[in-house]
Amino acid sequence: MSSVLHCGRFRLSLDRPLIMGVVNVTPDSFSDGGRFLDGAAAIAQARRLLAEGADLLDIGGESTRPGAAPVSLDEERRRVLPVLEALVGDGAAVSVDTQKPELMREAIVCGAAMINDVNGFEAPGALEAVAGSEAGLCIMHKQGTPQTMQSQPAYEDVVAEVAAYLGSRAAAAVAAGVVGGRIVIDPGFGFGKTLEHNLALLRGFEDLVAAGWPVLAGLSRKSMIGALTGREVGERLAGSLAAALMAAGRGAKILRVHDVAATRDALAVWSAVR
Ligand code: HH2
């Protein structure tokens, strides 16, 4: 496996897990909905996360929480691009969380270092939108759509099925012309998965890592943490840190988190002992 992630004009070492700070420019995200809908508030939050030690940022303009309503291209563009432009101007490595090929293209023109697609670049034209660029790709697994995904998720063997899907989408990206060093895979915790499925994926994380692609883990504040601790979304930091460290211990290369400073401290202790 390449120990360097190639994303846009950045070359990020994967010798230690990277911290990706989440900025949701949305009214309805499960974790922080509405707090950063205003562009200036989103930019300020992103700068705070960078100061806390985020290696890259992930900006999203469409919530993917279970039951979330889809957002038009115009609205998503209006939310994301001004924030992206400001952060690129700061010199930050910025990922854009979108499923829309048009926005992928525009984001790359604006300087996005990575495109994070919870739809695994399955939309017609999505792989083509990124292939000719230097942007990194985060290819995520989900079952169903945000509208339906938590109704009845079902797998025979969740780890094997998720690994097979991610392997085939990574191969499709390579076939479309993406060099391997730009690809990251992600099992998509909470996206069409029960608590048991999420736990099985975390237990079996090393099987995902074994495929050779850097693996991203997005566990921060998710409902599985709530289910295990009985905590509301704003009180899930301790549970999220435990999950992040378990993912890191099993080989995760990028941790997608809302609480950058705390994750950084937890990783500092973990990596000193490792
Ligand atoms: N989780 C969320 C959104 N995007 N992208 C990847 N690659 N992996 C994830 O686990 C992931 C993701 C959901 O979290 P959040 O952004 O806080 O909420 P919302 O989708 O409601 O905006």
Side-chain angles (χ1 to χ4, degrees):
M1 186 203 295
S2 162
S3 63
V4 173
L5 175 64
H6 173 155
C7 54
R9 58 197 174 82
F10 298 90
R11 302 291 177 272
L12 303 178
S13 167
L14 298 172
D15 292 344
R16 62 164 179 85
L18 299 176
I19 300 179
M20 172 187 265
V22 179
V23 182
N24 289 313
V25 196
T26 58
D28 56 349
S29 290
F30 83 95
S31 53
D32 53 11
R35 286 185 57 203
F36 312 117
L37 179 58
D38 170 61
I43 293 165
Q45 171 66 0
R47 288 181 175 150
R48 222 170 0 251
L49 298 182
L50 288 169
E52 288 179 6
D55 298 291
L56 65 170
L57 297 167
D58 189 38
I59 302 176
E62 178 176 49
S63 173
T64 50
R65 80 182 153 74
V71 170
S72 72
L73 172 62
D74 265 359
E75 177 61 17
E76 197 178 335
R77 181 189 274 143
R78 201 184 59 72
R79 292 178 184 176
V80 168
L81 294 184
V83 179
L84 172 64
E85 273 166 11
L87 298 170
V88 167
D90 288 352
V94 187
S95 159
V96 171
D97 187 343
T98 185
Q99 308 180 44
K100 296 187 178 71
E102 298 89 337
L103 189 58
M104 293 177 186
R105 286 183 191 276
E106 292 170 15
I108 290 168
V109 170
C110 286
M114 177 183 276
I115 302 295
N116 170 27
D117 184 0
V118 302
N119 194 33
F121 296 86
E122 284 195 52
L127 278 179
E128 293 74 8
V130 290
S133 73
E134 291 211 75
L137 287 72
C138 179
I139 300 175
M140 200 196 80
H141 174 275
K142 66 172 168 46
Q143 189 178 84
T145 64
Q147 289 71 46
T148 62
M149 65 190 182
Q150 289 308 111
S151 61
Q152 246 174 358
Y155 303 83
E156 297 257 318
D157 177 338
V158 66
V159 179
E161 287 168 50
V162 168
Y165 171 84
L166 293 173
S168 77
R169 295 308 299 158
V174 171
V178 176
V179 295
R182 291 168 51 199
I183 296 174
V184 173
I185 60 171
D186 175 356
F189 289 101
F191 285 82
K193 282 124 191 156
T194 64
L195 174 60
E196 279 313 314
H197 296 141
N198 288 319
L199 292 174
L201 283 166
L202 193 46
R203 272 185 213 111
F205 205 84
E206 281 158 336
D207 292 354
L208 305 173
V209 170
W213 305 106
V215 187
L216 180 150
L219 291 149
S220 179
R221 300 185 186 174
K222 285 205 170 153
S223 67
M224 65 180 282
I225 310 291
L228 294 169
T229 60
R231 300 281 181 193
E232 290 305 318
V233 72
E235 299 171 349
R236 295 180 186 163
L237 176 58
S240 298
L241 293 175
L245 290 189
M246 282 187 287
R250 288 166 168 78
K253 295 294 186 194
I254 305 181
L255 301 172
R256 182 182 183 280
V257 303
H258 303 85
D259 300 288
V260 169
T263 305
R264 197 186 142 99
D265 285 359
L267 277 178
V269 175
W270 170 83
S271 59
V273 176
R274 180 165 61 130

